[in-house]
């Protein structure tokens, strides 16, 4: 049995100090692209070395644990999505898809509704698709073009896409987080959706109002001609997403369709050009791909050394202390929420954090009379809130890679995630909404 140890979390702390600390130091020194001076995949290497040193057993066993984490099914799936997302974005842009889609959108959507409209579209696609990653990959390139054409702040526009994607990921009944939360808590997906929606809706409404005022001064002065056929790859990708097709197949289909359109519609576009664009898309995902692999290995080492178990144990003890004082379900709900959020900080994966905390959350829910659909909803909400604002999380890393901005600079612009966390805390404090028995 793995012993619980807070020392196992030291590698994560070292990584954060090196990655975030170096960026802040270079920024204070006035260096351009401060957070790119020490890249995350390099900053994590000392943390991995420390995790290996802290591990138990012989060296080969520790390395094997690390490699198993790197090759985890969730990590490999994310890698495939990264590669296909980069390739699709590259090919679609090369054939003029981004420019055509931007100009088409600008011609039909009032300038004052650009950001709210972008949030709603992204949220709808993510809910239908069940994945925030695939949604960000499909919509972020379009959003970047819209920001440039309508003179909207790039960070705010990309943050809007991340917020909409997290809304859908949190609510979708086919999302990994929903499946993990409902299965571990023993409740029906539809019941969890209804409970979840009552908390997410107020946050979404406030976000839409905020975005309306933020884009009310947007000006569209130059709408260029566009060829609708170049918009087709995005339409097909969104349509397949709505139909519930696997995200890998969705992105692969988009790459094929975009390439065929380029070959037919552009005289200077060849199979060699298509191949070069796909490889260029792969290359653009290099940093996030490497980081995801290394984080997977680091997370496996910390878990095997009892770091995550220690964290969950601390949260449970705090819960019991709170429960002993007031005996309310509020103590249980707060402990469930804090536990999954803190675990997500350590794993940078919302689905994994739910799975790690699932059994503990169920025990806490039973002890403190928390309804299963309520505990499932809180698990999903706080894991998605944390994931949506985590600078080394997959969603922000993907969006920042596509927009060529610092991951840390995006954190403050994902308004929906912050508001969802606030509304969820308020719902716990005021015991709202009531779970129907």
């Amino acid at each position: 049995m793995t012993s619980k140890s807070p020392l196992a979390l030291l590698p994560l702390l070292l990584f954060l100090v090196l990655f975030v600390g170096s960026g802040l130091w270079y920024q204070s020194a006035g260096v351009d692209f401060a957070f790119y001076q020490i890249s995350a995949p390099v900053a994590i290497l000392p943390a991995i070395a420390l995790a290996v040193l802290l591990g138990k057993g012989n060296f080969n066993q520790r390395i094997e644990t690390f490699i198993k984490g790197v090759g985890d099914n969730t990590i490999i799936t994310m890698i495939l999505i990264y590669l296909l997302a980069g390739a699709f974005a590259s090919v679609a842009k090369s054939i003029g898809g981004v420019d055509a889609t931007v100009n088409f959108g600008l011609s039909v959507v009032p300038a004052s509704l650009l950001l709210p409209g972008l949030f709603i579209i992204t949220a709808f696609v993510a809910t239908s698709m069940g994945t925030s990653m695939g949604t960000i990959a499909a919509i972020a390139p379009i959003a970047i073009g819209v920001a440039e054409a309508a003179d909207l702040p790039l960070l705010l526009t990309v943050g809007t896409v991340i917020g909409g994607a997290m809304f859908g990921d949190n609510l979708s009944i086919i999302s990994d987080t929903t499946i993990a939360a409902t299965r571990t808590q023993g409740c029906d997906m539809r019941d969890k959706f209804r409970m979840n929606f009552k908390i997410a809706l107020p946050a979404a409404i406030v976000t839409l109002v905020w975005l309306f005022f933020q884009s009310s001064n947007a000006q569209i002065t130059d709408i260029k001609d566009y060829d609708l056929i170049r918009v087709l790859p995005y339409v097909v990708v969104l349509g397949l997403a709505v139909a519930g097709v696997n995200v890998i197949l969705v992105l692969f289909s988009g790459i094929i369709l975009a390439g065929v359109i380029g070959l037919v519609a552009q005289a200077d576009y060849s199979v060699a050009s298509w191949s070069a664009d796909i490889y260029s898309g792969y290359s653009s995902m290099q940093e996030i791909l490497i980081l995801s692999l290394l984080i997977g290995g680091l997370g496996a080492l910390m878990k095997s050394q009892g770091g995550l178990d220690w964290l969950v144990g601390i949260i449970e003890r705090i819960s019991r202390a709170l429960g002993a004082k007031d005996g309310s379900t509020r103590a249980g709900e707060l402990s469930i929420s804090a536990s999954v959020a803190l675990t997500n900080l350590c794993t940078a994966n919302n689905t994994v954090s739910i799975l790690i905390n699932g059994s503990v959350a169920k025990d806490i829910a039973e002890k403190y009379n928390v309804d299963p659909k309520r505990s499932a909803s809180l698990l999903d909400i706080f894991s998605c809130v944390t994931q949506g604002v985590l600078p080394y999380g997959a969603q922000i890393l993907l969006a920042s890679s596509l927009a060529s901005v610092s991951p840390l600079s995006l954190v403050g612009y994902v308004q929906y995630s912050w508001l969802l966390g606030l509304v969820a805390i308020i719902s716990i404090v005021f015991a709202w909404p009531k779970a129907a028995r």
Side-chain angles (χ1 to χ4, degrees):
M1 182 177 179
T2 303
S3 59
K4 300 177 182 180
S5 172
L7 291 177
L9 298 178
L10 283 179
L12 178 66
L13 179 61
L14 176 61
F15 167 57
L16 295 178
V17 168
L18 292 174
F19 177 49
V20 179
S22 64
L24 293 174
W25 189 85
Y26 280 112
Q27 190 174 60
S28 67
V31 178
D32 292 335
F33 302 105
F35 289 95
Y36 288 94
Q37 299 302 310
I38 304 295
S39 65
V42 174
I44 200 173
L45 292 178
I48 292 172
L50 178 59
V52 172
L53 289 173
L54 292 174
K56 297 179 180 179
N58 62 52
F59 182 77
N60 288 337
Q61 289 175 329
R62 303 176 201 178
I63 295 300
E64 184 178 349
T65 299
F66 174 78
I67 292 174
K68 285 182 178 179
V70 169
D72 180 79
N73 181 67
T74 301
I75 298 295
I76 298 302
T77 300
M78 287 167 53
I79 296 304
L80 291 175
I81 293 175
Y82 291 152
L83 291 173
L84 293 176
F88 173 68
S90 178
V91 175
K93 182 177 181 180
S94 183
I95 68 165
V98 173
D99 291 337
T101 303
V102 168
N103 286 293
F104 172 70
L106 295 178
S107 67
V108 297
V109 178
S112 61
L113 296 178
L114 281 177
L115 288 178
L118 184 63
F119 180 87
I120 292 173
I121 292 171
T122 306
F124 176 72
V125 171
T127 303
S128 304
M129 205 172 188
T131 169
S132 54
M133 291 296 292
T135 302
I136 292 171
I139 296 182
I142 300 174
I144 294 166
V146 169
E148 294 173 353
D151 195 27
L152 288 169
L154 178 60
L155 291 174
L156 178 61
T157 306
V158 176
T160 299
V161 172
I162 298 173
M166 297 314 296
F167 174 94
D169 193 3
N170 177 214
L171 285 173
S172 175
I173 62 172
I174 61 173
S175 168
D176 288 346
T177 58
T178 294
I179 294 171
T182 53
R183 286 185 178 180
T184 58
Q185 301 309 296
C187 70
D188 187 76
M189 289 186 184
R190 295 173 189 259
D191 291 336
K192 178 263 182 187
F193 175 86
R194 295 189 187 101
M195 173 64 68
N196 207 152
F197 185 74
K198 292 175 182 178
I199 299 173
L201 182 60
I205 291 174
V206 175
T207 300
L208 290 173
V209 173
W210 167 261
L211 292 174
F212 170 76
F213 285 109
Q214 291 299 304
S215 61
S216 60
N217 294 324
Q219 296 181 357
I220 304 176
T221 57
D222 184 21
I223 301 178
K224 299 178 181 178
D225 293 334
Y226 54 87
D227 188 353
L228 276 177
I229 193 173
R230 301 180 194 274
V231 182
L232 189 58
Y234 292 110
V235 174
V236 170
V237 164
L238 300 184
L240 291 175
V242 170
V245 177
N246 182 277
V247 61
I248 292 178
L249 180 57
V250 168
L251 292 171
F252 184 77
S253 300
I255 294 169
I256 298 298
L257 180 58
V260 170
I261 290 175
L263 294 172
V264 173
Q266 291 184 200
D268 60 344
Y269 201 77
S270 64
V271 173
S273 302
W274 188 9
S275 173
D277 288 333
I278 292 174
Y279 188 76
S280 176
Y282 289 167
S283 299
S284 69
M285 295 291 110
Q286 174 180 299
E287 181 173 2
I288 182 178
L289 185 153
I290 296 173
L291 180 60
S292 296
L293 290 172
L294 296 179
I295 283 180
L298 178 62
L301 285 170
M302 291 192 302
K303 183 178 181 181
S304 69
Q305 295 161 20
L308 300 181
D309 289 338
W310 176 84
L311 183 63
V312 172
I314 289 295
I315 295 298
E316 187 173 17
R317 284 197 292 272
I318 293 174
S319 168
R320 288 173 178 171
L322 290 174
K325 291 179 180 179
D326 61 17
S328 69
T329 58
R330 187 180 296 113
E333 293 180 354
L334 285 171
S335 65
I336 291 170
S337 304
S339 179
V340 73
L342 289 173
T343 305
N344 207 134
L345 286 173
C346 297
T347 61
N349 187 301
N350 46 351
T351 304
V352 171
S353 65
I354 291 173
L355 291 172
I356 290 173
N357 284 276
S359 59
V360 174
K362 187 173 179 62
D363 290 342
I364 293 174
E366 292 175 352
K367 291 176 183 177
Y368 297 102
N369 197 32
V370 179
D371 189 275
K373 61 174 113 16
R374 176 74 168 170
S375 61
S377 178
L378 292 174
L379 276 175
D380 202 342
I381 285 174
F382 280 94
S383 68
C384 285
V385 165
T386 306
Q387 190 70 18
V389 297
L390 206 59
Y392 52 92
Q395 287 74 10
I396 284 188
L397 286 175
L398 175 59
S400 64
S401 297
L402 293 171
S404 299
V405 297
S406 164
L408 284 173
S409 65
L410 264 178
V411 171
Y413 290 88
V414 190
Q415 279 89 2
Y416 171 73
S417 291
W418 293 108
L419 286 169
L420 177 61
L422 177 61
V423 173
I425 291 172
I426 292 173
S427 77
I428 294 173
V429 172
F430 292 98
W432 168 90
K434 297 291 185 182
R437 294 286 179 176

